[in-house]
């Protein structure tokens, strides 16, 4: 079963062809990702209007390359999948509409995939992982702990009540004068910094829920940075190292609670799985390994290129749904917001915050 996948929800224009065998195993035939970082860098973040226009310009060529590299024609596709949300609506419209056009012209099924579901199902492509498993999704837009119990079956165990982890890295980088995207820059600066110089808060530490909070920590970094102006390079390194250390400790604490909640509700998970751009951070990978060791849980971290946004994960989620007969009609709507767990509600006490529920 050959499926084309299209990803345009943020600042990557991506397309891929994935093959799913009858035994459920998967193979990536092509995976083309064109990052728009250069287009957005001088604005210090993703500009939705520029992203949407860039997707329009780039997508046809990227799809053509993905098909060529896979060595197949549209007639051989069993289906075409697009990320139909959540994300920046202009980009989502471009990807979904393109997928509809291909599906219509070549009379092949359309699968409107939830971008978060695609992250969630990636370890089944890379490691043939069985359900149930525990997903830690940490990107620029999302920070969630999710129980994945089947295709289309997700229970959110924890979420951020304010900023996503990647967003906090990006904001800290910006306030310290480091370029966008900030995550890798903060990680690099932290290597030469003293993590013990600043005693930043460990948000949510010790709470019995598995939620995250990053905005207080970010404000604490801002306060110290303002106090130290003008910042020397060593100050920046120390601020980055102390910030990252706080994120690591908080993440480890939140994840161990998340795994406890998982066990109570679903039994032992087959693995703890990391996804999202933040999972590219070596220090965070180390913290996840510690949590996995302490809880005797297998840790799966897909290669960084499959942790960050890509077309293969969309194609794979499309193939998993298609195999179960879960296809969509031409009425499928692009969605800026789309909960992975439709039953998830705002964390208690945080109903009025801007959380990525
Ligand atoms: O998953 P992703 O590529 O895109 C979405 O947000 O959906 O994640 C990008 C985010 C950005 O916030 C970026 O700063 C963060 O992941 N990130 C990192 C690192 N690499 C990327 N954060 C911390 N350390 C890194 N090495
Ligand atoms: Zn993503």
């Amino acid at each position: 079963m050959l499926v084309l996948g299209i990803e345009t929800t943020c600042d990557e224009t991506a397309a891929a062809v994935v093959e799913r065998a009858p035994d459920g195993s998967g193979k990536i035939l092509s995976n083309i990702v064109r990052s728009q970082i250069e287009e957005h860098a001088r604005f210090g973040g993703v500009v939705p209007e520029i992203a949407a226009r860039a997707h329009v310009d780039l997508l046809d060529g990227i799809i053509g390359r993905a098909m060529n590299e896979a060595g197949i024609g549209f007639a051989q596709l069993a289906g075409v999948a697009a990320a139909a949300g959540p994300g920046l609506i202009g980009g989502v419209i471009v990807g979904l509409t393109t997928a509809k056009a291909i599906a219509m012209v070549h009379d092949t099924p359309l699968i409107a995939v939830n971008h978060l579901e695609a992250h969630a199902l990636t370890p089944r492509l890379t490691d043939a992982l069985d359900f149930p498993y525990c997903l830690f999704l940490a990107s620029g837009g999302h920070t969630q702990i999710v129980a994945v119990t089947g295709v289309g079956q997700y229970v959110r165990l924890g979420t951020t009540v304010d900023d996503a982890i990647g967003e906090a890295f990006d904001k800290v980088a910006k306030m310290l004068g480091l370029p966008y995207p900030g995550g890798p820059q903060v990680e690099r600066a932290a290597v030469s910094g003293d993590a013990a110089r600043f005693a930043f808060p460990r948000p949510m530490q010790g709470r019995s829920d598995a939620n995250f909070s990053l905005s207080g920590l970010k404000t604490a970094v801002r306060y110290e940075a303002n106090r130290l102006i003008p910042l020397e390079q060593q100050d920046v390194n120390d601020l980055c190292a102390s910030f990252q250390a706080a994120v690591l400790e908080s993440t480890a604490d939140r994840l161990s609670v998340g795994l406890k909640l998982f066990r109570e509700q679903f039994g032992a998970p087959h693995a703890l799985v990391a996804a999202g751009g933040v999972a590219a951070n070596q220090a965070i990978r180390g913290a996840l390994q510690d949590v996995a060791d302490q809880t005797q849980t297998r840790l799966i971290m897909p290669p960084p290129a499959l942790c960050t946004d890509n077309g293969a994960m969309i194609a794979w989620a499309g193939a998993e749904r298609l195999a179960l007969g879960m296809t969509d009609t031409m009425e499928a709507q692009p969605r800026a917001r789309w909960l992975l767990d439709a039953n998830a509600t705002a964390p208690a006490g945080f109903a009025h915050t801007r959380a990525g529920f």
Side-chain angles (χ1 to χ4, degrees):
M1 180 191 280
L2 296 169
V3 176
L4 169 68
I6 296 172
E7 160 60 35
T8 55
T9 61
C10 191
D11 62 342
E12 266 95 21
T13 311
V17 177
V18 161
E19 182 172 14
R20 185 185 186 278
D23 68 1
S25 64
K27 193 171 152 199
I28 299 173
L29 301 190
S30 64
N31 191 19
I32 313 290
V33 181
R34 164 64 160 80
S35 163
Q36 300 174 8
I37 282 178
E38 271 177 32
E39 280 91 337
H40 301 285
R42 69 193 171 97
F43 301 102
V46 179
V47 183
E49 178 69 19
I50 293 175
R53 285 167 190 265
H55 288 306
V56 171
D57 289 342
L58 295 166
L59 187 56
D60 285 356
I62 299 285
I63 291 172
R65 280 178 59 196
M67 296 297 289
N68 271 338
E69 211 167 276
I72 62 159
F74 288 109
Q76 288 162 266
L77 291 175
V80 52
L88 301 173
I89 196 66
V92 175
I93 291 171
V94 175
L96 182 59
T97 306
T98 305
K100 283 182 181 176
I102 295 171
M104 200 180 271
V105 170
H106 297 282
D107 197 21
T108 188
L110 170 77
I111 308 104
V113 168
N114 181 315
H115 175 96
L116 303 176
E117 170 170 55
H119 278 301
L121 295 176
T122 298
R124 293 174 51 76
L125 167 64
T126 56
D127 294 82
L129 184 61
D130 284 333
F131 301 117
Y133 53 89
C134 185
L135 174 77
F136 173 52
L137 173 62
S139 69
H142 303 276
T143 298
Q144 300 188 4
I145 302 173
V146 180
V148 182
T149 60
V151 175
Q153 292 172 32
Y154 311 98
V155 178
R156 198 189 64 200
L157 300 172
T159 188
T160 179
V161 299
D162 40 56
D163 291 353
I165 296 181
E167 186 180 3
F169 268 89
D170 293 339
K171 287 179 177 169
V172 163
K174 203 169 186 177
M175 70 176 85
L176 300 179
L178 299 171
Y180 170 85
Q185 304 283 340
V186 171
E187 181 179 16
R188 199 167 307 137
V191 171
S192 319
D194 174 6
R197 177 164 164 202
F198 303 101
F200 291 137
R202 273 52 174 159
M204 313 298 255
Q205 191 97 359
R207 282 176 60 117
S208 58
D209 62 53
N211 293 321
F212 292 76
S213 168
L214 276 303
S215 77
L217 171 58
K218 179 192 66 189
T219 305
V221 177
R222 188 188 303 282
Y223 179 82
E224 282 299 332
N226 287 343
R227 206 176 56 81
L228 290 170
I229 282 175
L231 293 173
E232 305 287 336
Q233 184 60 49
Q234 194 57 49
D235 296 328
V236 171
N237 295 348
D238 294 347
L239 285 165
C240 288
S242 301
F243 162 76
Q244 188 171 274
V247 173
L248 294 184
E249 250 187 64
S250 173
T251 299
D253 176 64
R254 306 290 71 218
L255 272 177
S256 37
V257 176
L259 283 166
K260 182 168 163 283
L261 297 177
F262 189 110
R263 277 169 200 275
E264 284 167 9
Q265 293 178 44
F266 307 101
H270 283 116
L272 169 64
V273 176
V278 177
N281 182 302
Q282 290 302 327
I284 291 200
R285 291 172 91 94
L288 296 186
Q289 189 65 61
D290 291 346
V291 173
D293 291 346
Q294 281 156 19
T295 56
Q296 287 163 353
T297 309
R298 177 181 170 203
L299 178 66
I300 292 182
M301 286 185 284
L306 294 175
C307 281
T308 54
D309 292 348
N310 65 87
M313 69 177 191
I314 307 297
W316 176 252
E320 291 248 58
R321 295 185 79 84
L322 187 57
L324 296 171
M326 301 159 89
T327 60
D328 294 274
T329 68
M330 289 295 143
E331 309 304 314
Q333 292 295 310
R335 301 171 67 168
R337 294 173 70 78
W338 187 357
L339 287 179
L340 192 52
D341 173 0
N343 298 318
T345 52
F350 294 97
H352 302 295
T353 58
R354 179 212 65 90
F357 305 124

